[in-house]
Amino acid sequence: MKLKPNLLYRRLCKHDPSSRKLCTEVFLLTSVVIIYILLITRSASKDENAASDYHSFGNIEKSATDYKQEKKHSRPLEYSQRLDRVQRTCESNHPIVAYLRQQPLERGFLKNLIVDDQYKMIYCSVGKVGTTNWRRIFLALRYRDRFPDARNISVHKAHTIRLRSLSDYSPEEQIYRLDKYYKFMFARHPLERLASAYRSKFTYDFPYNEIYHKKYGRLIISRYRQNPSQGSLELGKDVRFEEFLRYIADPEINAIDKNRHWSHLYTSCNPCLIHYDFIGQMASYDKDSAQVLRDTNTDGLVQFPTRSESNYNNAKASNIMQELYETIDKELIQKIISLYHLDFEMFGYKWPL
């Protein structure tokens, strides 16, 4: 039978009215002790539950890591071979590699790393390595109501709508995401990438290329062309491929890492510092992109844009490389290869193709 506190009090203290005051004090003190014990017991129970929740969270994180490892093992051998090649290069005694392993996580570098928190993905975005379509995918995943089909996102929107980068997070949040999220990047043959950058920025008279004509075109023409016309000097629109390569190779200019469209891949993504789960290649872009979607369980949510769906009407840079480079002096080509030699080694490229 349960007794209410006031009824218990009356039963204990009614027999001796003379000592009722003392009885009351004893009763109140006893009640306080009982309440205190109950509170401690409840707090201990909460701590135990919290500890249980913490360990459960740890198990979830571990399971996510294990799942990522399972994905790696179930993929074609070529993907693990790419990662192994990068790891071997990063473990070498090359002086540049030694610097890359110690490179601080600076804001400029972190801005290259696009983050999706919902699907726990980090993508290293580098110019002329299929970036537009991957920005479309990240936009479609983040704004699914606004962009139900990634293939319909225009190039302008893909590059002007802001996506979160790792630089938006605190140092602790950055480390957590780099440790737990699926990280991927794509590589491209350095000479093919330069051909694509040249054609994209210096042969098309698009409004958004005007900054390239003014900032780079004028300088390139004035520095490397004999007797340039006044119109060429003023507009900077008619840069020749050989002039562009001379600009890239000029030791006084040190141009390579001044623009993301022809920067070194090893500095833009630094796979010696960031341990990527996947490294794709432009030569197998569609197949590798499909693999990333499978790895991240987003293949049922978005459809990766094909080349025709992306409104690319121009010829592939890989198809015009021979034409572009056949008139270039071999000594100049060798200088370019030397400047990008670590990208060649790290990602398994060679020349001639």
Side-chain angles (χ1 to χ4, degrees), residues 250-294:
D250 193 334
E252 294 182 10
I253 298 293
N254 192 25
I256 293 180
D257 287 321
K258 292 181 179 179
N259 188 282
R260 63 190 303 272
H261 293 89
W262 48 79
S263 61
H264 293 113
L265 289 177
Y266 63 76
T267 57
S268 298
C269 293
N270 195 348
C272 292
L273 185 66
I274 308 298
H275 299 293
Y276 291 94
D277 299 288
F278 185 87
I279 296 177
Q281 296 274 10
M282 281 298 291
S284 51
Y285 183 67
D286 290 345
K287 181 183 74 171
D288 292 355
S289 297
Q291 183 66 52
V292 172
L293 296 183
R294 286 193 295 271

Side-chain angles (χ1 to χ4, degrees), residues 191-203:
L191 298 188
E192 180 184 325
R193 187 161 167 249
L194 287 175
S196 179
Y198 164 73
R199 186 180 61 176
S200 172
K201 304 305 176 186
F202 298 107
T203 67

Side-chain angles (χ1 to χ4, degrees), residues 8 16 64 102 152 161 196 250 274-275 333:
L8 177 64
D16 189 3
Q102 302 298 322
N152 295 331
I161 298 177
S196 179
D250 193 334
I274 308 298
H275 299 293
I333 294 177

Side-chain angles (χ1 to χ4, degrees), residues 102-110 113 166 171 174-175 178 273-274:
Q102 302 298 322
Q103 181 183 358
L105 293 175
E106 298 175 341
R107 180 173 176 81
F109 168 68
L110 293 172
L113 302 176
L166 203 60
Q174 292 169 3
I175 292 172
L178 287 172
L273 185 66
I274 308 298

Side-chain angles (χ1 to χ4, degrees), residues 322-351:
Q322 190 68 31
E323 177 185 343
L324 284 172
Y325 282 98
E326 66 182 2
T327 60
I328 304 300
D329 182 76
K330 290 183 179 180
E331 184 178 349
L332 178 55
I333 294 177
Q334 192 56 50
K335 286 182 180 179
I336 297 293
I337 292 173
S338 297
L339 289 170
Y340 288 91
H341 74 280
L342 196 57
D343 277 345
F344 275 88
E345 179 181 346
M346 188 173 286
F347 302 107
Y349 295 118
K350 59 183 180 179
W351 183 263

Side-chain angles (χ1 to χ4, degrees), residues 30-42:
T30 303
S31 299
V32 169
V33 171
I34 292 172
I35 292 172
Y36 178 72
I37 292 172
L38 289 173
L39 288 174
I40 290 178
T41 303
R42 181 175 295 180

Side-chain angles (χ1 to χ4, degrees), residues 88-201:
R88 287 196 303 271
T89 305
C90 291
E91 291 174 350
S92 70
N93 295 322
H94 195 289
I96 295 178
V97 166
Y99 165 76
L100 292 175
R101 289 197 296 259
Q102 302 298 322
Q103 181 183 358
L105 293 175
E106 298 175 341
R107 180 173 176 81
F109 168 68
L110 293 172
K111 289 178 71 175
N112 292 338
L113 302 176
I114 298 176
V115 179
D116 187 299
D117 283 318
Q118 183 175 358
Y119 299 100
K120 294 180 170 50
M121 302 161 57
I122 294 178
Y123 163 58
C124 184
S125 170
V126 184
K128 309 315 300 177
V129 193
T131 298
T132 300
N133 278 342
W134 274 110
R135 289 189 63 89
R136 286 174 168 139
I137 292 297
F138 273 72
L139 285 172
L141 289 173
R142 184 174 181 183
Y143 305 108
R144 296 187 64 188
D145 291 337
R146 184 178 177 185
F147 301 117
D149 191 337
R151 297 170 296 178
N152 295 331
I153 301 175
S154 68
V155 174
H156 177 74
K157 287 182 179 178
H159 286 279
T160 55
I161 298 177
R162 191 178 184 278
L163 289 165
R164 297 200 76 176
S165 69
L166 203 60
S167 62
D168 296 326
Y169 299 85
S170 69
E172 294 79 10
E173 291 171 329
Q174 292 169 3
I175 292 172
Y176 175 84
R177 283 161 176 77
L178 287 172
D179 182 44
K180 302 297 182 184
Y181 284 19
Y182 177 94
K183 302 170 290 295
F184 70 101
M185 63 169 287
F186 275 74
R188 190 175 193 175
H189 193 293
L191 298 188
E192 180 184 325
R193 187 161 167 249
L194 287 175
S196 179
Y198 164 73
R199 186 180 61 176
S200 172
K201 304 305 176 186

